[in-house]
Structure formats: C-alpha cells, structure tokens
C-alpha cells in the first residue's frame, strides 16, 4: 500500500498524519511533533483554534528535515470566515508557523453560508499567492460540498471528517471519492471508546497487532488518510507502523459490520446550515 495519496491539486499527502488536537500549546505540542518526525511521520495536522500552530512550525524547523518533506495542515476557524478576514487569517497562520508556506488549509466547518463562500474565495487567493499549496474543508456534508462546487474555481482537495469503523459515513465517503476529494479521517481510534470492542480486539489478536493499528489500517484500506493523535512516543510509533500488514476480506467485513453512528465529537456535518 502506498504511504501517500495524490490530491486533485497535484500534490501528495502522506496517508498517516499526527493530529495535535488538545495537545497543550507549548512544550507538549513541540515535543510531540518533534518526536513524531523523528519516528518517521511526515504529516502534521493542526488548526488555528488549537492554539499550537507556532509549536508545530518550530518542531518542523528544528527537525532538520527539508521543508518539502513535511506536510503541514492548518484550519481556519469560523470566526475568520469572510473574504478579508479569511485571507488575513491564512497569512497569520503562515506567520505563526514560521514556515514559508502551508501544504493544506481547510475551512474547519461549514459555518454560515455567506461568510463561508467568501472564506473559500480567500483560500483560492492564498493558493495563487503561494501561501498554501492545497485547500479543502472539514466537517462538510454532501450538500455543503455540492453548494461550494457551484461557485468554487478550485475544488476542495480533501474533506476531513470523523470516520472509524463505528462511524463510517459511507454515502459521504463514496461521494467524496467519486468527486476526487480525499477523505481524511479524524478520531480514527474513536477517541479510544472502541479499542476494547471484541470485534476489533479479535482481529488484532489474530493478526498480532494492536486494536489501534487495526482501526487505522481499516481506514487506509478504504482509501482514506488517517489522523491519529498521541503525545506518547511509543503510541506514536505503533500508530505509524501500519504498512507492514493488511486486513483480509474477513477482517474488513467484520469491521465494516461495526457501524453504529457513533459520533465522539461535534457534528457540523449534520448540524451546520447549507
């Protein structure tokens, strides 16, 4: 299995990334990102609202890795929507990171329709200015995506949504993949709620891997990018070690049968207006 996916923007995105949601700004985030990069991660996912963009950027710079070997994503919070505010917000994110550009910037949620359209135009302008290489969305439903596509001059490269075996969003994932939009799965471990589920644990025991590895691998085999989060280097290493085994048809069918609509976080996909 390839360790990266090709986006509709022409850039590749690593298939496993480190999420830094709820990683405390400062030394915790800095240490977690630096540890992950030393372990082999090449993709870090942050957001303005996390308050740790600067720590991510500092770790990337201090890693000694060439800039083009680390994929860095951030997201605009809805209070920065509207054209002028969104363009300024992208500029602020790049400045805070201390990096020459960001690989991917997303609208963090649909928010309100009017400001959303202006924010998307700002992201398109940020691409033209070289501040950002790819742009996308997070927590968008099919209806949100269809509306955006009618006015966009650059189509979203990704839609980052909560997905795991217990929340599969099959119709939305199928729509995105048919439209050439890569799905990024956040909370791929269901925030730990289902790691001890006997179906997951049974597959893990049979294959000699961990339940976390099983859940991450399930998403990869469905063509998604996976964004597990951990500040623990040992867990980081395990979460990245998912390319040396495969889930067979029986295991995939068993995990596909786990769907129960389990939303572990917020759900703008369902609740934000179109």
């Amino acid at each position: 299995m390839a360790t990266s996916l090709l986006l509709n923007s022409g850039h590749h995105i690593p298939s496993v990334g480190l999420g830094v949601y709820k990683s405390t700004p400062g030394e915790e985030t800095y240490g977690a990102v630096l540890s992950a990069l030393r372990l082999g991660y090449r993709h870090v996912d942050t957001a303005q609202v996390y308050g740790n963009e600067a720590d991510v950027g500092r770790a990337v710079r201090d890693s000694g890795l060439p800039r083009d070997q680390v994929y860095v994503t951030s997201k605009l919070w809805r209070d920065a929507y509207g054209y002028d505010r969104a363009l300024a917000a992208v500029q602020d994110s790049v400045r805070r990171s201390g990096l020459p550009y960001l690989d991917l910037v997303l609208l963090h949620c649909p928010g309100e329709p009017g400001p959303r359209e202006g924010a998307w135009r700002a992201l398109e302008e940020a691409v033209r200015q070289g501040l950002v290489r790819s742009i996308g969305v997070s927590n968008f439903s099919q209806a949100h995506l269809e509306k955006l596509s009618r006015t966009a001059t650059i189509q979203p490269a990704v839609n980052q949504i909560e997905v795991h075996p217990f929340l599969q969003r099959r119709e939305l994932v199928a729509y995105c993949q048919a439209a050439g939009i890569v799905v990024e799965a956040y909370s791929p471990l269901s925030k730990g709620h289902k790691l001890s589920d006997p179906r997951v644990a049974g597959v893990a025991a049979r294959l000699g891997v961990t339940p976390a590895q099983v859940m991450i691998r399930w998403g990869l085999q469905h063509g998604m990018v996976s964004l597990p989060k951990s500040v623990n280097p040992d867990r980081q290493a395990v979460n990245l070690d998912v390319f040396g085994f495969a889930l067979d048809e029986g295991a995939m069918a068993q995990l596909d049968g786990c769907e129960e609509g389990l939303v572990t976080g917020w759900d703008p996909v369902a609740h934000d207006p179109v």
Side-chain angles (χ1 to χ4, degrees):
M1 170 176 283
T3 57
S4 67
L5 296 176
L6 179 63
L7 300 175
N8 61 21
S9 61
H11 298 284
H12 282 84
I13 184 169
S15 298
V16 176
L18 179 75
V20 295
Y21 171 60
K22 287 195 172 178
S23 295
T24 305
E27 290 307 307
E28 181 176 87
T29 298
Y30 172 78
V33 174
L34 195 58
S35 164
L37 294 175
R38 288 171 175 166
L39 288 167
Y41 283 78
R42 293 296 180 265
H43 179 182
V44 184
D45 182 272
T46 183
Q48 290 182 342
V49 76
Y50 301 169
N52 54 22
E53 291 172 309
D55 309 307
V56 169
R58 181 163 67 99
V60 171
R61 298 193 309 273
D62 289 354
S63 72
L65 293 165
R67 174 65 191 91
D68 63 0
Q69 290 187 20
V70 183
Y71 198 95
V72 180
T73 299
S74 194
K75 313 177 197 72
L76 301 191
W77 191 240
R78 57 189 166 206
D79 64 4
Y81 288 7
Y83 181 83
D84 292 336
R85 293 166 97 178
L87 187 56
V90 175
Q91 294 166 343
D92 286 344
S93 283
V94 173
R95 176 185 53 77
R96 276 191 294 270
S97 75
L99 302 172
Y101 62 88
L102 295 173
D103 294 278
L104 177 66
V105 172
L106 311 178
L107 299 184
H108 207 143
C109 60
E112 294 297 324
R116 177 198 314 154
E117 183 178 343
W120 188 256
R121 287 191 293 110
L123 292 191
E124 294 172 331
E125 177 60 23
V127 172
R128 288 188 282 268
Q129 291 185 13
L131 297 168
V132 182
R133 291 194 164 177
S134 303
I135 54 178
V137 297
S138 183
N139 297 297
F140 272 48
S141 68
Q142 179 174 335
H144 294 126
L145 289 165
E146 288 173 340
K147 184 172 185 179
L148 181 63
S149 72
R150 293 197 286 269
T151 57
T153 59
I154 300 175
Q155 295 300 316
V158 308
N159 186 17
Q160 186 181 120
I161 52 179
E162 182 179 357
V163 184
H164 45 75
F166 302 88
L167 177 67
Q168 297 181 27
R169 302 192 191 273
R170 292 173 188 165
E171 291 183 4
L172 178 55
V173 169
Y175 172 81
C176 289
Q177 292 178 338
I181 300 169
V182 167
V183 173
E184 289 190 284
Y186 72 76
S187 299
L189 306 182
S190 69
K191 293 190 174 67
H193 293 300
K194 292 293 187 175
L195 289 176
S196 60
D197 183 279
R199 291 163 292 185
V200 176
V203 171
R206 180 164 62 81
L207 296 177
V209 297
T210 70
Q213 288 173 315
V214 166
M215 292 180 77
I216 293 167
R217 183 73 197 189
W218 173 87
L220 298 183
Q221 289 185 211
H222 275 298
M224 296 179 244
V225 170
S226 188
L227 300 172
K229 71 169 291 288
S230 179
V231 299
N232 180 298
D234 292 336
R235 288 180 182 166
Q236 289 178 346
V238 168
N239 291 344
L240 185 62
D241 186 18
V242 290
F243 297 100
F245 72 96
L247 301 175
D248 58 27
E249 289 185 10
M252 288 297 287
Q254 187 167 350
L255 295 167
D256 287 346
C258 290
E259 170 64 46
E260 58 183 58
L262 177 67
V263 176
T264 68
W266 63 332
D267 194 14
V269 173
H271 299 142
D272 278 16
V274 176

